[in-house]
Amino acid sequence: MPSVIVGRTGPFTGQSVVLGIEPLSFGRKSDNGVVIVSPSASRLHAEVLAEDAGFVLYDRDSRNGTFVNDQRVQRHVLRPSDCIRIGDETFLYEAQDALETVMDLSLLDVPRASAADPGTLRVTITGGGPVGLAFALALDGMLPGRTAITLYDGRWTRRGSEVVWKDETQGNFRRQQVVTVQSRQYLALPDEVLSALFDDEGQYSEMWPVGPDSVDGRPPRNIRIAHIEDRLLDLANRKPAIRLVPKRFDVAEQQNRLTQEHVLVVCEGGRSRTREHYADRFGAADASIYSLDGEHLQDVVLGLRVKSQLPDPMSVLLTVSQNRFLLNSLRGEGFLNMRLTREEAKNVIGIDPVRHVFEECIAARPCLMSRQEEDNEFRCPTHGTLFLPALLRGSPLWKEIRQGLRLFGVAEDDLSAITSFRLDMVQRPRFTAQLHRPTATSPGTYGFLLGDAANAIHFWPGRGLNSGLASATSLARSLSRAWRGKPLRDADFIRHEAAMSMLQYRHKSRAWNAMVTTDEQGVTRAIRDIIARGAEAPGGSGAGSGPGGPGGGPGGAADGGDLEALLERMVEIRERLASRMPGLPTDGELRSHLAAIAPATLRTLRESGAWDTLIVGGEEADIDLFYQSDSPVFVPRPADPRSPSPVGA
C-alpha cells in the first residue's frame, strides 16, 4: 500500500499525492509538487524524501518554519497520521501501518474482510429522511443482489418487526410540512417509488403551474413530507439488502465498522455531526459568498400550521407577489411561512408558565408549539413552554401574524401550531472524499455528502428536497457504474462531483435571490431589512394601525397607494401565469381581498417585492447531462507519481 500526503485544510483539501522515489516539494513556486497558496510559505519551503528510515520531511530553510504536530522541525521521519503545517495550510501523512497485518481482528467489532463477499458493495447511510431513503432504494434497484445497506436514523422506532417514524409525542414534529417536488426529480425516481408516492391522487396536489422546470408538461407536485417518509420507509422495510437501525449514527462508536465499509453517505441535514467529524476531508465551508457587508445572512422564519380557505390559484398569486409570507399547502392545509425582521426574531420566545422564565424553546430549539383546546394557547409538548407573543395579544408580532392569516384566508382558529426555522447557506468545496484508504484488511472507504448535509438551501424558492433527490440519483448512478468488486477510485466520482457542484450553484443562486434584492441604483439589501424599513415608514408603524383597527378593514392604506401598487403587481403576474394556470382571481376579487388587510401590512408586502421569477423559475439543473455516453466531462489522465511535475505546471 503506497504512502500518501493528503490535503487537510487549504486549497489542497481532500486531494492526495502518492509518495515514491522522487522527492515531493512544497512551496509557492509553480514547479513544486504541492503548490502552497499561503503568503507565509517560502518559494521552496519543504521536501519529503525517501530514505532507509522511511519518508523524511525536511525544512528547506523556510522563513516561517515547517511544523509537524505543532512542533517546528528541520528533519522529521514521518509516521502515520502526522499533521504537517506549512504556512496556513495543513496536510496529513498516511501510510499502511505495519501493525495492521498482525492485529488481532477479534479486537474489532467487524467481520473479517476475507469472509465478506467481494462482490457486495457495503454502504452505511447516516440519516434516513427522504434523501437517504431515496438513495438506498435507488442503489438497491440499480445493483440488485449486490449491496448491503445500513441506514441509521434517531427519528425512527420499532413497532413489532418493522421500523416506523416517531410521532409528535416522541419529539418528531416537522413531518406535516408540505414540499414541492419538481417533475424532473420525481420522474427520475424508481418506478416502485413513483408508484408508492403518487398512485393515490389524494396524497398530492398540483397547485403550481407548469414552467421551464417541468418535464413532459408535468407540473410540480405538492406533497406532505410525512407521506414521502412513510412510503419510502415502508418500501425500505421490505428490502432484504437494506438494514434499518432506529438510532442516531455515532461516528466515533462506529469507526471500526466503517473501515470495513466501501461507502459512507452522510444525509443527516445541515448540522451534520458526521460531516463535521470528517471536516478535514470534506473541507471548510465558505460563508462569505452568502454574506452582505461582511455579515453572513440568515433569515428567521415562523412556520404557522394552517388551513386556508382560498383556492390554489389565489394562494399562488398572493405568494409570488411578495416576499413576506409563503404558503405551501396540500389543498389548503400546510404551513404559512412568515419571514421575520431582526426585531421580530428577538420576540420569538417561549415562556415557562410555572417558573415565569424565558426559554430557548422555539427560538433556538426546533420545537413545535401546538394549540391546546383547554386554554387555546400554543404549548410545546416537550418543554411545556408557551408562545409568548400569543399571550400578549397586543404584541406587534402577534398582530402581524394575524394579518398574514387574513391575507391567506385562514381563520384564527385554523392556526393549529407554530414553529420556527433559521435559514442560511454556505458554499462547500467538495462533496466526495476518501475517508479510509485500502489496506490488507480493509477495502477503503469513500464518503459522500447528500441532501442538506451537502447543500442546505433556503427553502423559499422550494429547491431543497429537489436538490437532495437529484444528488441521491446522481450518486446511485455513479456507484452502480463504478462498482466491480474492486476498490473505488477518485476518478469514479468525477461526474457525481460535477453534478453536485452544478446543483449547488444553480439552486443556491436561486435561493440567494430569495434573501436579497437589488434596487435600480444597484444597491443590494437583505429582504428582511427591507421588510423592516416598510414597517417603519411613515404611516406604517405598528401592524394593524390605521383605518379598520387591528384587523384592518375596508379602505386599505390611507391614500390607497400601497393597495394600488400591490394590485398592479398582481395583475402583471397574473397575465404571465394565465396561460398556465386557470382560475386566477379577477381585478375585483383581488381588490376586495386586499382591502381587508391593514395599511402597515400592505406597505410591508409592497416593500418586500415580488419573487424574482426570472431567476427562481429558470431551468432546473439536469444531472442527466453528466450520465450520457457522450457527456462532456473531462477526466484527467492519472500522472505517474514517480515522475517529477513539469516545470511551470
Side-chain angles (χ1 to χ4, degrees):
M1 174 67 194
S3 298
V4 294
I5 295 291
V6 182
R8 186 169 182 265
T9 62
F12 204 71
T13 301
Q15 300 181 57
S16 59
V17 179
V18 177
L19 296 174
I21 299 173
E22 298 295 331
L24 175 65
S25 60
F26 301 76
R28 285 192 293 110
K29 283 188 65 177
S30 61
D31 58 355
N32 285 293
V34 177
V35 178
I36 306 295
V37 176
S38 172
S40 58
S42 299
R43 292 168 64 82
L44 173 59
H45 195 106
E47 277 187 304
V48 175
L49 303 180
E51 298 183 358
D52 291 342
F55 289 102
V56 183
L57 174 68
Y58 287 91
D59 179 84
R60 293 307 188 198
D61 298 322
S62 64
R63 284 194 319 274
N64 297 308
T66 300
F67 295 80
V68 176
N69 304 325
D70 291 327
Q71 299 294 317
R72 187 164 183 165
V73 299
Q74 289 296 324
R75 180 185 184 274
H76 176 81
V77 178
L78 291 170
R79 298 177 179 83
S81 299
D82 274 348
C83 179
I84 303 165
R85 176 161 59 84
I86 297 174
D88 300 323
E89 301 173 29
T90 60
F91 306 85
L92 289 176
Y93 171 72
E94 293 188 352
Q96 181 180 11
D97 191 335
L99 292 178
E100 288 179 341
T101 59
V102 297
M103 181 183 291
D104 183 356
L105 291 179
S106 66
L107 298 176
L108 300 177
D109 184 22
V110 293
R112 290 177 181 267
S114 60
D117 181 355
T120 298
L121 178 67
R122 298 189 295 281
V123 179
T124 289
I125 305 172
T126 73
V131 174
L133 287 166
F135 167 72
L137 292 166
L139 185 63
D140 179 61
M142 293 178 190
L143 290 173
R146 300 180 62 199
T147 60
I149 303 170
T150 305
L151 264 102
Y152 290 81
D153 201 297
R155 296 169 295 174
W156 297 336
T157 187
R158 287 201 177 275
R159 183 184 299 160
S161 61
E162 290 198 330
V163 172
V164 298
W165 287 93
K166 293 177 179 177
D167 57 27
E168 286 188 15
T169 64
Q170 297 167 300
N172 191 13
F173 41 74
R174 297 269 291 269
R175 287 171 22 92
Q176 293 308 308
Q177 293 178 50
V178 174
V179 292
T180 302
V181 184
Q182 302 292 334
S183 54
R184 184 174 299 282
Q185 305 312 330
Y186 65 70
L187 291 175
L189 296 171
D191 288 343
E192 64 174 349
V193 174
L194 204 59
S195 176
L197 294 181
F198 299 119
D199 271 2
D200 183 354
E201 293 186 3
Q203 296 294 338
Y204 68 92
S205 68
E206 297 176 342
M207 69 179 285
W208 300 98
V210 172
D213 289 348
S214 304
V215 175
D216 297 333
R218 305 283 190 91
R221 289 178 174 174
N222 273 21
I223 185 167
R224 208 170 299 283
I225 202 79
H227 178 71
I228 298 176
E229 291 178 338
D230 288 343
R231 297 288 76 77
L232 294 185
L233 188 57
D234 182 57
L235 282 175
N237 268 290
R238 292 186 261 131
K239 299 293 182 181
I242 300 177
R243 182 169 71 98
L244 303 172
V245 182
K247 62 180 288 189
R248 177 184 244 174
F249 182 79
D250 186 325
V251 65
E253 178 184 291
Q254 298 291 328
Q255 197 62 242
N256 286 338
R257 195 182 70 82
L258 280 180
T259 62
Q260 298 302 309
E261 297 287 274
H262 298 99
V263 172
L264 172 66
V265 182
V266 182
C267 307
E268 295 168 334
R271 294 177 174 83
S272 167
R273 295 182 180 181
T274 305
R275 181 194 62 211
E276 296 313 306
H277 179 86
Y278 289 111
D280 60 331
R281 302 307 172 94
F282 290 112
D286 182 1
S288 65
I289 295 176
Y290 302 105
S291 298
L292 198 60
D293 298 327
E295 177 190 14
H296 184 206
L297 283 193
Q298 181 182 79
D299 273 334
V300 179
V301 175
L302 271 190
L304 311 170
R305 193 165 70 189
V306 300
K307 182 175 182 180
S308 170
Q309 301 301 321
L310 294 183
D312 286 345
M314 174 69 95
S315 296
V316 169
L317 188 55
L318 290 172
T319 292
V320 300
S321 63
Q322 47 77 43
N323 272 287
R324 171 69 147 167
F325 297 99
L326 164 65
L327 177 66
N328 219 18
S329 64
L330 178 61
R331 298 182 178 87
E333 293 191 50
F335 274 80
L336 175 60
N337 299 295
M338 175 182 174
R339 191 195 312 257
L340 302 180
T341 66
R342 298 170 194 259
E343 193 61 34
E344 288 171 337
K346 296 176 184 176
N347 294 318
V348 177
I349 296 171
I351 186 169
D352 187 315
V354 177
R355 297 184 295 140
H356 300 286
V357 294
F358 298 134
E359 295 285 354
E360 291 186 339
C361 179
I362 201 173
R365 299 173 181 149
C367 304
L368 181 137
M369 294 183 163
S370 301
R371 185 191 289 275
Q372 305 300 301
E373 293 183 2
E374 62 272 14
D375 56 13
N376 212 31
E377 303 296 354
F378 295 91
R379 184 185 303 272
C380 173
T382 305
H383 306 102
T385 54
L386 302 177
F387 185 55
L388 183 59
L391 296 175
L392 307 174
R393 298 300 170 112
S395 73
L397 177 56
W398 184 252
K399 287 181 180 179
E400 194 64 9
I401 289 172
R402 292 174 64 198
Q403 289 298 306
L405 300 178
R406 182 181 294 272
L407 180 66
F408 282 91
V410 179
E412 198 164 329
D413 287 345
D414 286 333
L415 168 59
S416 58
I418 301 174
T419 188
S420 68
F421 314 87
R422 293 180 181 269
L423 304 173
D424 57 35
M425 297 183 294
V426 297
Q427 193 85 350
R428 298 211 168 271
R430 59 180 45 84
F431 310 94
T432 305
Q434 189 167 36
L435 307 181
H436 304 287
R437 296 186 175 277
T439 70
T441 58
S442 63
T445 308
Y446 268 86
F448 302 91
L449 304 179
L450 294 186
D452 283 351
N455 282 319
I457 297 172
H458 195 299
F459 67 66
W460 215 259
R463 289 304 186 280
L465 180 60
N466 289 277
S467 178
L469 292 176
S471 65
T473 299
S474 173
L475 181 56
R477 289 180 181 178
S478 277
L479 283 169
S480 66
R481 289 182 174 201
W483 180 241
R484 299 292 182 269
K486 298 179 180 179
L488 298 168
R489 308 166 303 155
D490 291 338
D492 294 329
F493 306 110
I494 289 176
R495 284 177 168 78
H496 174 66
E497 190 72 12
M500 292 296 295
S501 296
M502 180 179 69
L503 288 168
Q504 173 168 250
Y505 170 77
R506 185 66 182 104
H507 289 161
K508 286 186 177 176
S509 64
R510 287 177 169 180
W512 183 240
N513 281 273
M515 297 184 76
V516 301
T517 188
T518 304
D519 62 22
E520 294 178 355
Q521 285 72 45
V523 178
T524 300
R525 295 186 178 90
I527 290 175
R528 66 177 182 187
D529 294 335
I530 292 173
I531 290 172
R533 184 185 65 185
E536 295 167 359
S541 59
S545 62
D559 61 1
D562 294 320
L563 188 151
E564 294 302 327
L566 267 175
L567 182 59
E568 181 180 351
R569 181 188 295 167
M570 290 181 181
V571 169
E572 291 176 356
I573 296 171
R574 184 186 63 194
E575 290 175 356
R576 295 200 298 268
L577 295 180
S579 62
R580 296 180 281 139
M581 190 169 199
L584 288 165
T586 65
D587 288 10
E589 289 170 331
L590 286 172
R591 183 180 296 278
S592 175
H593 187 77
L594 293 177
I597 307 303
T601 303
L602 288 172
R603 176 157 297 169
T604 299
L605 298 179
R606 175 187 177 182
E607 291 284 342
S608 72
W611 281 27
D612 189 344
T613 52
L614 181 64
I615 297 295
V616 173
E619 187 173 345
E620 182 78 28
D622 183 5
I623 64 168
D624 289 344
L625 293 172
F626 297 100
Y627 292 94
Q628 298 168 358
S629 58
D630 57 349
S631 167
V633 177
F634 173 66
V635 182
R637 183 176 181 178
D640 187 339
R642 296 167 298 179
S643 302
S645 300
V647 175

